[in-house]
Amino acid sequence: MAKILVVDDDTTFCIMLKNWLGKRGFEVENAFSYKEAVKKLDKETFDLVLTDLRLPDKDGIDLLRLIKEKTPETQVLLMTGYADIQTAVTAMKLGAFDYVAKPVIPDEILKKLQEALKLETEPAKPVQAKVKTTAFAYIKGVSESADQQYEYIRLVGPTMMTVLINGESGTGKEYIARLIHLTSARKDGPFVAVDCGAIPRDIATSELFGHVKGAFTGAACDKQGYFVTASGGTIFLDEIGNLPYDVQVQLLRALEERKVHPVGSSVDVPFDVRIISATNENLKEAVAEGRFREDLYHRLNEFSIQALPLRERKEDIMVFANHFLDKANEELGKQVAGFDDEVMRIFNTYAWPGNLRELRNIVKRATLLCQGKLITKICLPPELSQKPVEPEKTMGTRREMEIELIKEALQKCRNNKSEAARMLQIDRKTLYNKLKNYGLEDL
Ligand SMILES: Nc1ncnc2c1ncn2[C@@H]1O[C@H](COP(=O)(O)OP(=O)(O)OP(=O)(O)O)[C@@H](O)[C@H]1O
């Protein structure tokens, strides 16, 4: 049984990966820092170390150097954000087997692990499809708008129409896209989610359409782009409004010709993919301002779905809260039965700026803290238990406070956005959205 050490300071991710790989026959240990990893490596030998490039004390490159010095036969696989891909390429020169871009897709890690450990790839067992169906539980809601949303998904799902989903962050746009995919004849094909807001401008073309070996410095081998990876399935282009203008032109051409042109290649590659995109900005405005191509907008928007903010469908709040409570009980091994009246009142009056994602996180935290049968006010973070203030009065101060906090975090993290997001306890995507909304993109 191959022994693997996963090193990342994101404890939830480590635990999740440990369980996931454990079920696939690997023996997995976790370390949450460089120091802890070194301790474990001193005690035992691992066949492979999967490490984040950024660790709280030192970085993955230091760990790679140490491993290659002590046990050169141990394979090292790096996990990295887009901003560090260049460093990851350097790491390969230092002996790393390969790297995977974050956010990582478990199946991609599994494939790389098998390559690195020279294991036989499992016969076409649909691991991917299985993981998705067990982890994905779409809750419909009971409000009128939820009914309509569900009906739209049901109708558009089986068609090949492109769908544009509009809605604030955390309203469930990706969940809607996944359900459309699962309702379609392509449900057994891949569902590939691409965060267009997180791909750096200079590698966007190669990430989407692929490249051939030697196309540019660092292109050590041929790379399949997301479009080809999604063949036979669905590609979900999240934050489509952030796609650079020149890439928009290439995307439009690809959609018209149903072929992609990998960077540096002389041949076009056909693809067979359903396209769903999402945005949290008003794309019509972006078109009017000349930031988004009108012809592409119409191509992507054969059908549109609005994901409503939670505060505009209050009847759904407790439905989702109970669903997230069930999930949290399961994940944390707890048996919390529900919410007391005061908490329900608070939930129904709070504005939920982070929508379903915020509700999920708050319920999970409260479940962890809950000592009794019901979740009470003391299990909630202070911003929820305080009396709601009129929105108009808070907007200015909340915005100013957020801008200050973001600037301070970026300064402290020397502009490293992933670290700043971690410090602010929000995910990287939310930070990018906030930077965009507050006009701080140049920071
Ligand atoms: N219909 C649903 N049923 C159950 N859970 C849901 C549903 N929709 C959203 N969620 C929960 O809310 C979280 C956020 O949803 P999702 O990622 O789809 O939002 P989003 O609008 O795509 O966010 P962003 O704009 O930040 O990309 C999900 O991870 C899931 O936990």
Side-chain angles (χ1 to χ4, degrees):
M1 190 188 275
K3 239 171 144 178
I4 296 174
L5 178 65
V6 178
V7 193
D8 195 313
D9 62 337
D10 183 340
T11 44
T12 322
F13 169 76
C14 277
I15 293 164
M16 195 199 77
L17 202 60
K18 182 175 175 171
N19 292 338
W20 196 80
L21 289 172
K23 284 186 195 142
R24 280 153 189 82
F26 295 95
E27 192 184 331
V28 185
E29 290 272 327
N30 286 335
F32 307 120
S33 65
Y34 172 88
K35 226 167 122 188
E36 205 183 336
V38 174
K39 258 195 200 160
K40 297 215 161 165
L41 287 162
D42 275 343
K43 275 200 211 137
E44 49 191 321
T45 309
F46 290 88
D47 299 299
L48 186 141
V49 176
L50 175 66
T51 177
D52 194 3
L53 197 56
R54 289 173 187 272
L55 298 172
D57 35 6
K58 282 194 171 191
D59 67 25
I61 301 276
D62 296 313
L63 193 61
L64 167 68
R65 283 207 173 93
L66 182 103
I67 294 168
K68 289 292 155 192
E69 237 176 74
K70 284 179 59 169
T71 50
E73 67 283 4
T74 301
Q75 296 284 16
V76 179
L77 223 122
L78 290 150
M79 295 177 284
T80 169
Y82 279 113
D84 296 318
I85 281 184
Q86 208 47 52
T87 326
V89 172
T90 317
M92 285 168 71
K93 292 187 188 138
L94 293 172
F97 176 78
D98 205 346
Y99 66 85
V100 282
K102 277 186 147 184
V104 294
I105 301 164
D107 281 332
E108 194 188 343
I109 290 202
L110 183 65
K111 199 163 152 254
K112 300 251 168 165
L113 287 180
Q114 285 164 334
E115 282 168 18
L117 298 167
K118 300 199 179 59
L119 300 176
E120 288 289 316
T121 318
E122 277 191 45
K125 204 167 110 201
V127 173
Q128 196 177 0
K130 201 170 149 209
V131 172
K132 271 172 195 158
T133 38
T134 47
F136 179 76
Y138 185 94
I139 298 296
K140 182 172 153 280
V142 291
S143 64
E144 222 173 276
S145 57
D147 279 347
Q148 195 193 54
Q149 182 174 296
Y150 195 75
E151 179 65 3
Y152 282 169
I153 296 172
R154 205 183 56 77
L155 288 172
V156 81
T159 73
M160 256 303 269
M161 287 169 93
T162 60
V163 182
L164 179 64
I165 309 166
N166 290 279
E168 290 175 14
S169 187
T171 43
K173 298 186 290 299
E174 183 166 340
Y175 258 54
I176 294 175
R178 278 186 190 277
L179 189 62
I180 293 176
H181 169 71
L182 291 174
T183 322
S184 76
R186 319 183 141 250
K187 63 177 188 303
D188 294 324
F191 175 89
V192 176
V194 182
D195 179 0
C196 301
I199 314 181
R201 172 179 282 271
D202 47 340
I203 60 164
T205 314
S206 123
E207 291 290 301
L208 288 174
F209 309 127
H211 65 241
V212 294
K213 183 177 172 180
F216 48 84
T217 326
C221 50
D222 287 3
K223 183 188 158 80
Q224 219 180 42
Y226 291 129
F227 268 85
V228 177
T229 310
S231 252
T234 304
I235 193 164
F236 173 56
L237 301 171
D238 201 1
E239 306 301 345
I240 187 80
N242 289 341
L243 214 57
Y245 202 83
D246 49 330
V247 185
Q248 293 176 28
V249 178
Q250 295 170 48
L251 177 59
L252 180 66
R253 197 181 319 127
L255 298 189
E256 275 166 355
E257 296 172 3
R258 309 300 297 176
K259 281 182 200 151
V260 291
H261 187 82
V263 180
S265 167
S266 52
V267 281
D268 288 338
V269 183
F271 66 84
D272 162 32
V273 172
R274 163 90 175 271
I275 293 143
I276 304 179
S277 21
T279 177
N280 66 6
E281 69 168 323
N282 186 336
L283 266 197
K284 270 194 194 150
E285 248 171 60
V287 168
E289 288 164 13
R291 286 183 288 114
F292 200 84
R293 286 191 66 110
E294 186 166 8
D295 37 14
L296 179 60
Y297 171 75
H298 292 300
R299 269 260 162 197
L300 297 173
N301 191 23
E302 286 172 354
F303 191 83
S304 71
I305 293 183
Q306 187 70 37
L308 281 186
L310 208 44
R311 63 184 171 280
E312 287 177 28
R313 45 177 183 143
K314 286 192 182 296
E315 308 94 293
D316 292 335
I317 293 175
M318 286 319 295
V319 178
F320 279 99
N322 282 307
H323 164 68
F324 294 138
L325 175 64
D326 289 345
K327 286 193 82 173
N329 274 330
E330 202 181 302
E331 283 166 28
L332 302 168
K334 306 236 348 184
Q335 277 158 358
V336 179
F339 307 87
D340 76 2
D341 289 350
E342 192 177 17
V343 169
M344 286 201 254
R345 215 170 23 251
I346 291 172
F347 276 11
N348 283 318
T349 48
Y350 182 61
W352 299 108
N355 294 297
L356 289 168
R357 184 178 291 111
E358 184 182 16
L359 176 60
R360 181 198 65 193
N361 293 346
I362 281 172
V363 170
K364 189 165 180 183
R365 176 185 183 276
T367 311
L368 181 71
L369 297 178
C370 181
Q371 306 281 358
K373 273 202 157 329
L374 295 180
I375 288 176
T376 58
K377 188 177 163 182
I378 52 164
C379 307
L380 302 181
E383 70 266 25
L384 256 91
S385 35
Q386 279 152 11
K387 246 184 122 193
V389 195
E390 282 177 42
E392 310 84 74
K393 285 186 192 155
T394 55
M395 287 306 272
T397 44
R398 187 191 162 97
R399 183 189 158 92
E400 282 156 22
M401 250 169 62
E402 270 199 355
I403 291 178
E404 269 319 297
L405 281 171
I406 291 173
K407 281 185 175 167
E408 202 181 303
L410 282 170
Q411 228 171 25
K412 280 190 185 148
C413 301
R414 283 169 284 129
N415 259 5
N416 181 316
K417 304 220 168 46
S418 305
E419 277 180 26
R422 221 173 282 166
M423 180 180 278
L424 292 163
Q425 294 186 7
I426 55 179
D427 57 36
R428 201 166 37 93
K429 200 190 273 179
T430 311
L431 177 62
Y432 277 109
N433 288 337
K434 286 187 187 294
L435 289 172
K436 192 161 179 221
N437 291 342
Y438 295 151
L440 302 173
E441 286 153 303
D442 294 333
L443 278 186

